[in-house]
Amino acid sequence: MRARVVAVVGVVALASAVAVVALASSSANGLPSYTNGYAKWQRINKKPFTSTGPLSSAHAGVKNVYASKKKVGKRYPNGTVIVKTIQPAGRKGIPSQVAVMRKVNGRWRYIEYELSGARYTVLAQGQLCQSCHMQARANDYVCTKR
C-alpha cells in the first residue's frame, strides 16, 4: 500500500512539473511567453533611467519598466508580470538585457536574460535578484529608480 502512495505522489509531482514548464514556455526569442507584448503594457517609470550608486552594476544601462497589471493599493496583484528592459547608453534596437518579475502566490519570482545572438538566455535568477530588490520593499519590491 505504501509503495502505491509513493508512486501516486511521484506521478502527481511529475505532472505538476510538466504543467509548470508548459506555463513558462519560451517564445521564439527565448523570453517566457507570458512576457509577450510587454512593450504595450503600462510603463511605470516616468522616463528612462540609468543606474547610480552602489547598485550601478545591476542592470547597467538605460532602463524602462513595464507592468502587465496596475497596483491594487500599494501592491501588485497575483499574476502581475514586471519587465525591465536594459540597453547600453546610445545603443538602439532590441534590449541587450531583460529582467522579469512574476508574482505567483503573493511572492515575486525573478529571472534576468541577456541577448545572445538573436535569442535571450538566462543570466541570473532567484535569490541573487531578491537581495537587491529588498531595497524596494516599500514599492512591492519593484525597482524603478536605479
Side-chain angles (χ1 to χ4, degrees):
M1 178 67 168
R2 189 172 213 179
R4 287 183 187 166
V5 170
V6 170
V8 169
V9 169
V11 169
V12 169
L14 179 61
S16 297
V18 170
V20 168
V21 170
L23 289 174
S25 64
S26 294
S27 59
N29 64 3
L31 294 175
S33 58
Y34 55 78
T35 64
N36 289 347
Y38 73 82
K40 294 179 182 174
W41 299 349
Q42 174 191 10
R43 191 175 82 184
I44 59 176
N45 54 299
K46 292 181 182 179
K47 61 181 182 175
F49 61 100
T50 58
S51 296
T52 59
L55 296 177
S56 61
S57 63
H59 313 292
V62 178
K63 297 175 248 343
N64 281 296
V65 184
Y66 305 88
S68 66
K69 298 180 180 184
K70 292 183 179 192
K71 279 185 178 180
V72 176
K74 294 185 176 189
R75 302 277 178 227
Y76 288 95
N78 280 324
T80 300
V81 177
I82 305 288
V83 173
K84 181 185 288 182
T85 60
I86 304 103
Q87 193 68 286
R91 184 169 173 246
K92 301 288 184 203
I94 62 173
S96 61
Q97 290 179 313
V98 175
V100 178
M101 297 172 61
R102 185 178 187 200
K103 199 168 203 181
V104 178
N105 295 325
R107 300 183 63 106
W108 289 108
R109 307 232 172 131
Y110 305 91
I111 190 162
E112 181 179 2
Y113 300 87
E114 69 179 337
L115 191 59
S116 179
R119 291 183 51 83
Y120 288 97
T121 59
V122 174
L123 178 63
Q125 61 185 327
Q127 186 59 40
L128 176 68
C129 306
Q130 175 64 25
S131 61
C132 288
H133 281 264
M134 287 296 294
Q135 296 178 38
R137 186 178 319 162
N139 193 36
D140 200 14
Y141 303 94
V142 178
C143 301
T144 58
K145 296 180 181 164
R146 293 192 194 275

